[in-house]
């Protein structure tokens, strides 16, 4: 990074801090709209910054993004009940208050505009708390002085060191001094109550902010293509039609039993589901991922710390909640939800725990049923298996060392990236390994896919970086040219560990915050749909099963049904 770029960045940070220190939140809002000097200075800095692309992740984290946009005052808060038994989050509120512009720009870049004022509010509250603490310190000093003076005079009185006039004056002044001390103590109690309210509001605001986007994440609205793996396919027949013709899928019966977004996998489709799960687990195991079978019912308070919200910003329901028994409602007893992904139970497994340094990276893989409300998602482009409420998924989840640590600290060496000057980290290495596993699985299944670096607006709350792999669905060629997401992988830095109170013990005995990385090894419905469409043989009127799945297919290599004419002739 050149000296001129560094100077521009430092000036920008200094400008934000000077404004924040001199004015309260309302003044800042007004300044953004009316102060021409502010607009001119920001515009000049943005112009200078836009001509330089710095590879330094730390610089990007310290000064935020180069685009200055408007703020939306209306706040949308994440409200959920957190019982006293839930892990206590430890957030870096100091860093937010020191870099409000960074976090505000991050909210705008990630399309969380309703939260863009929250960092400035944190700054205002932190200043208010500091003022209260100074006043409280002054009051405590006054109380201590009064109590010390009363004690000294009482000693003199008991030792008969006071003359009659002094003793008379003490009797007159003592009630006033005691009243002053009592009043000061009452004020201290009030200050303590106000400070507690401020602490709670700051914590709620900090919890509502998304993770900071990493250096790889594009700030533009469009995702970036990294790699394409194409297989030729001539069929455009929908998996819905194929499934019906081969008696593999039943959506009508499922709708009667469970509503829209449900399905029956019949005959070879049921076998194919288990084959896909076993194959994905086998591939992950070959890469030394520890297999586990996670629960699908989780405490509701473990859902938001993983970045999943009960409702989206449009107010639509996203999580299925299990209704509490009437006797437990309104109590401190925690409620339950159905997990939308095994990431939630795998992350919460080590909540309020200390991981050993030697155990990192801790890599887990497991298959589970996943439940998603997907409210408001119904439409023509979600037909069939593409968007469903319940499905089987194989999930990878890992705890790693934070990037501040040496990648060789635990005695393990990791490869380096020649294409980027940013040093490789343990979390990035595990992230790359997840992508390699995903690509291995999809390519061996004979599917066409492309790897996409997701942009900031498309990241979930917890992700710092996210890569999606999209598979080609021939029947959906009019929707996004046929490409549809089937897997994703995310680096969440310490977003989840701070909210779940997951620590690791460093060599010096101090506790640190591990990073979390998660990724889909295989989600059955969409992959199964892509297999049916890609490997449909119109001449044979059947689907050729990928060879890697044969060991679990009970001898079935091609799925087909005899026509009525064939049955009659037999």
């Amino acid at each position: 990074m050149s000296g001129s770029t560094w100077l521009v960045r430092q000036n920008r940070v200094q400008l934000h801090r000077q404004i924040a220190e001199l004015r309260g939140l309302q003044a800042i809002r007004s300044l953004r709209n009316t102060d021409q000097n502010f607009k001119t200075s920001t515009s000049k800095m943005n112009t200078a910054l836009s001509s330089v692309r710095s590879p330094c992740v730390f610089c990007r984290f310290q000064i935020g993004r180069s685009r200055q946009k408007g703020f939306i005052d209306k706040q949308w808060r994440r409200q959920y009940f957190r019982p006293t038994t839930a892990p206590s989050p430890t957030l870096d509120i100091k860093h937010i208050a020191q870099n409000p512009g960074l976090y505000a720009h991050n909210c705008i870049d990630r399309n969380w505009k309703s939260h863009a004022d929250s960092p400035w509010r944190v700054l205002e509250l932190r200043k208010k708390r500091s003022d209260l603490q100074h006043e409280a310190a002054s009051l405590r000093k006054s109380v201590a002085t009064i109590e010390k003076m009363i004690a000294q005079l009482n000693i003199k009185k008991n030792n008969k060191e006071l003359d009659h006039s002094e003793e008379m004056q003490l009797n007159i002044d003592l009630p006033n001094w005691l009243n002053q001390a009592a009043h000061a103590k009452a004020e201290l109690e009030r200050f303590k109550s106000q400070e507690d309210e401020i602490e709670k509001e700051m914590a709620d605001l900090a919890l509502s902010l998304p993770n900071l986007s990493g250096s790889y994440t594009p700030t533009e609205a469009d995702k970036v293509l990294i790699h394409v793996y194409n297989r030729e396919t001539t069929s455009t027949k929908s998996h819905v039609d194929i499934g019906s013709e081969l008696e593999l899928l039943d959506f009508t019966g499922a709708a009667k039993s469970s509503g829209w977004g449900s399905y029956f996998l019949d005959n070879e489709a049921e076998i194919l589901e288990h084959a896909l799960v076993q194959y994905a687990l086998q591939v992950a195991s070959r890469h030394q991922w520890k297999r586990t079978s996670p629960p699908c019912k989780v405490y509701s308070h473990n859902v938001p710390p993983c970045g999943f919200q009960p409702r989206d910003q449009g107010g639509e329901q996203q999580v299925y909640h299990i209704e509490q028994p009437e006797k437990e409602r309104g109590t401190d007893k925690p409620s339950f939800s159905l997990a939308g992904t095994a990431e939630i139970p795998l992350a919460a497994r080590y909540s309020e725990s200390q991981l050993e340094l030697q155990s990192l990276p801790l890599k887990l893989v497991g298959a589970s049923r996943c439940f998603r409300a997907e409210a408001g998602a119904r439409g023509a482009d979600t037909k069939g298996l593409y968007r469903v409420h319940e499905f089987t998924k194989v999930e990878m989840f890992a705890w790693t060392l934070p990037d501040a640590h040496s990648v060789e600290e635990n005695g393990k060496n990791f490869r380096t990236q020649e294409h980027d000057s940013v040093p490789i980290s343990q979390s990035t290495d595990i992230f790359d390994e997840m992508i390699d596993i995903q690509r291995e699985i999809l390519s061996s299944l004979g599917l066409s896919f492309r790897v996409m670096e997701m942009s900031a607006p498309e990241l979930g709350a917890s992700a710092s970086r996210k890569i999606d792999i999209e598979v080609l669905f021939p029947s959906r060629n009019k929707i996004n040219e046929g490409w549809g997401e089937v897997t994703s992988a995310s680096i969440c830095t310490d977003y989840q560990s701070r909210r779940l109170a997951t620590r690791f013990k460093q060599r010096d005995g101090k506790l640190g915050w591990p990073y979390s990385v998660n990724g889909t090894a295989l989600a059955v419905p969409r992959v199964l749909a892509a297999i049916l469409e890609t490997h449909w043989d119109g001449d044979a009127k059947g689907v050729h099963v990928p060879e890697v799945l044969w060991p679990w297919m009970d001898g079935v290599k091609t799925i087909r049904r005899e026509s009525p004419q064939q049955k009659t002739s037999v």
Side-chain angles (χ1 to χ4, degrees):
M1 182 167 56
S2 66
S4 60
T5 305
W6 180 88
L7 183 59
V8 169
R9 292 179 183 274
Q10 293 301 311
N11 286 340
R12 184 176 181 179
V13 172
Q14 184 178 5
L15 179 62
H16 280 296
R17 287 180 176 172
Q18 287 175 347
I19 293 171
E21 290 171 357
L22 292 174
R23 310 197 179 197
L25 181 60
Q26 296 300 327
I28 291 171
R29 289 176 180 166
S30 175
L31 182 66
R32 288 182 179 279
N33 295 325
T34 62
D35 194 323
Q36 191 60 41
N37 291 333
F38 176 87
K39 293 181 179 179
T40 302
S41 300
T42 303
S43 176
K44 290 179 179 179
M45 292 179 189
N46 289 341
T47 302
L49 285 169
S50 63
S51 63
V52 181
R53 183 176 179 85
S54 169
C56 178
V57 63
F58 299 105
C59 290
R60 293 188 69 177
F61 269 26
Q62 286 301 318
I63 59 92
R65 307 299 184 184
S66 61
R67 300 197 309 277
Q68 175 68 24
K69 300 180 181 178
F71 282 69
I72 294 180
D73 294 339
K74 185 178 179 181
Q75 297 285 340
W76 177 79
R77 298 284 174 244
R78 308 181 191 184
Q79 300 295 334
Y80 66 96
F81 173 70
R82 193 171 69 86
T84 56
T85 54
S88 298
T90 304
L91 306 175
D92 197 348
I93 292 177
K94 179 180 178 181
H95 190 263
I96 297 172
Q98 289 178 339
N99 303 275
L102 165 62
Y103 284 87
H105 281 259
N106 186 65
C107 288
I108 293 173
D109 285 341
R110 296 178 69 139
N111 202 25
W112 287 58
K113 296 178 182 179
S114 60
H115 291 67
D117 277 342
S118 296
W120 301 100
R121 176 61 177 164
V122 169
L123 176 65
E124 180 190 32
L125 289 171
R126 201 160 183 265
K127 177 66 167 60
K128 186 176 179 180
R129 184 188 65 176
S130 178
D131 292 342
L132 279 175
Q133 289 174 339
H134 281 114
E135 289 185 51
S138 177
L139 279 176
R140 278 191 291 269
K141 186 176 180 180
S142 298
V143 170
T145 300
I146 292 172
E147 289 178 342
K148 182 179 179 180
M149 182 172 58
I150 292 173
Q152 290 174 344
L153 290 173
N154 280 333
I155 291 173
K156 289 184 177 180
K157 180 180 178 181
N158 293 334
N159 294 336
K160 301 187 181 303
E161 296 177 6
L162 298 177
D163 57 29
H164 179 71
S165 61
E166 289 176 330
E167 189 170 341
M168 290 292 291
Q169 189 62 41
L170 174 60
N171 292 334
I172 295 173
D173 294 339
L174 185 59
N176 293 331
W177 293 338
L178 291 174
N179 286 336
Q180 290 178 25
H183 177 74
K185 289 179 179 179
E187 281 292 287
L188 286 172
E189 287 295 323
R190 187 174 65 84
F191 285 169
K192 180 63 170 63
S193 177
Q194 290 181 359
E195 187 175 346
D196 289 343
E197 291 177 2
I198 290 173
E199 293 281 359
K200 184 180 184 304
E201 185 177 353
M202 283 197 299
D204 289 343
L205 289 167
L207 283 170
S208 74
L209 294 174
N211 201 352
L212 291 172
S213 300
S215 61
Y216 290 89
T217 301
T219 58
E220 296 75 15
D222 295 332
K223 50 197 172 186
V224 177
L225 177 64
I226 298 176
H227 174 77
V228 177
Y229 180 87
N230 265 326
R231 288 285 183 92
E232 285 190 12
T233 179
T234 57
S235 172
T236 58
K237 194 167 186 175
S238 166
H239 70 275
V240 177
D241 297 329
I242 296 171
S244 176
E245 184 175 329
L246 297 181
E247 300 174 11
L248 301 175
L249 306 174
D250 181 5
F251 296 103
T252 304
K256 293 176 182 178
S257 69
S258 307
W260 176 87
S262 303
Y263 56 94
F264 282 105
L265 297 180
D266 294 331
N267 302 313
E268 292 90 345
E270 188 274 340
I271 303 174
L272 191 57
E273 176 180 40
H274 291 284
L276 287 168
V277 169
Q278 291 305 314
Y279 175 59
L281 289 171
Q282 183 188 77
V283 173
S285 297
R286 195 164 63 243
H287 289 268
Q288 286 75 55
W289 287 73
K290 178 183 175 182
R291 292 170 68 153
T292 184
S293 180
C296 59
K297 184 184 76 171
V298 296
Y299 281 132
S300 298
H301 60 257
N302 285 329
V303 176
C306 293
F308 299 90
Q309 300 308 312
R311 294 184 180 274
D312 62 19
Q313 295 196 38
E316 296 285 0
Q317 181 182 349
Q318 297 299 310
V319 178
Y320 284 121
H321 296 287
I322 300 175
E323 187 176 10
Q324 284 184 299
E326 187 173 352
K327 64 180 181 180
E328 295 180 3
R329 296 174 196 169
T331 69
D332 194 48
K333 192 162 186 178
S335 61
F336 290 95
S337 297
L338 296 178
T341 168
E343 174 191 347
I344 299 171
L346 292 175
R349 178 177 183 173
Y350 293 97
S351 62
E352 297 184 293
S353 300
Q354 292 183 19
L355 303 175
E356 294 298 327
L357 183 65
Q358 295 77 10
S359 69
L360 300 178
L362 177 59
K363 305 189 298 182
L364 303 171
V365 61
S368 71
R369 296 294 280 182
C370 302
F371 302 85
R372 298 187 182 178
E374 302 283 11
R378 186 174 182 177
D381 62 335
T382 62
K383 187 178 179 181
L385 294 174
Y386 193 78
R387 193 177 299 278
V388 293
H389 291 306
E390 178 184 355
F391 57 96
T392 300
K393 181 161 71 86
V394 179
E395 181 77 5
M396 297 177 286
F397 185 90
W399 292 110
T400 75
L401 290 172
D403 287 355
H405 278 67
S406 167
V407 295
E408 296 184 355
E409 186 169 353
N410 64 352
K412 299 178 182 179
N413 295 315
F414 297 94
R415 65 180 183 274
T416 59
Q417 289 181 326
E418 297 178 356
H419 69 275
D420 200 308
S421 60
V422 180
I424 195 71
S425 66
Q426 192 179 89
S427 62
T428 302
D429 189 85
I430 298 302
F431 181 76
D432 290 342
E433 185 177 298
M434 286 182 175
I435 304 299
D436 290 342
I437 290 172
Q438 293 169 344
R439 291 173 58 170
E440 177 182 346
I441 291 172
L442 295 175
S443 61
S444 64
L445 293 174
L447 302 177
S448 298
F449 63 87
R450 64 181 187 180
V451 183
M452 310 295 292
E453 184 81 52
M454 305 308 288
S455 62
E458 297 177 272
L459 267 58
S462 61
S464 173
R465 182 189 181 192
K466 181 172 179 276
I467 281 183
D468 281 0
I469 296 184
E470 300 174 343
V471 158
L472 184 64
F473 293 84
S475 70
R476 291 168 53 89
N477 54 15
K478 294 182 180 179
I479 306 170
N480 195 28
E481 298 179 344
W483 298 105
E485 176 208 341
V486 293
T487 71
S488 65
S490 301
I491 299 177
C492 298
T493 63
D494 60 1
Y495 182 98
Q496 294 174 336
S497 62
R498 284 182 174 274
R499 287 161 173 77
L500 292 170
T502 304
R503 310 296 296 267
F504 78 99
K505 188 176 293 186
Q506 305 176 80
R507 292 193 184 278
D508 59 6
K510 295 180 180 179
L511 296 178
W513 301 105
Y515 279 11
S516 60
V517 189
N518 67 79
T520 307
L522 186 143
V524 169
R526 290 190 184 182
V527 172
L528 192 151
I531 288 175
L532 294 181
E533 295 187 9
T534 301
H535 297 300
W536 168 254
D537 186 336
D539 295 331
K541 300 297 180 183
V543 174
H544 299 297
V545 178
E547 186 175 350
V548 293
L549 301 180
W550 290 359
W552 300 279
M553 288 299 297
D554 292 344
V556 177
K557 296 183 180 180
T558 301
I559 304 172
R560 59 166 61 93
R561 290 284 175 270
E562 291 183 358
S563 65
Q565 292 82 1
Q566 290 174 318
K567 291 181 180 180
T568 302
S569 63
V570 173

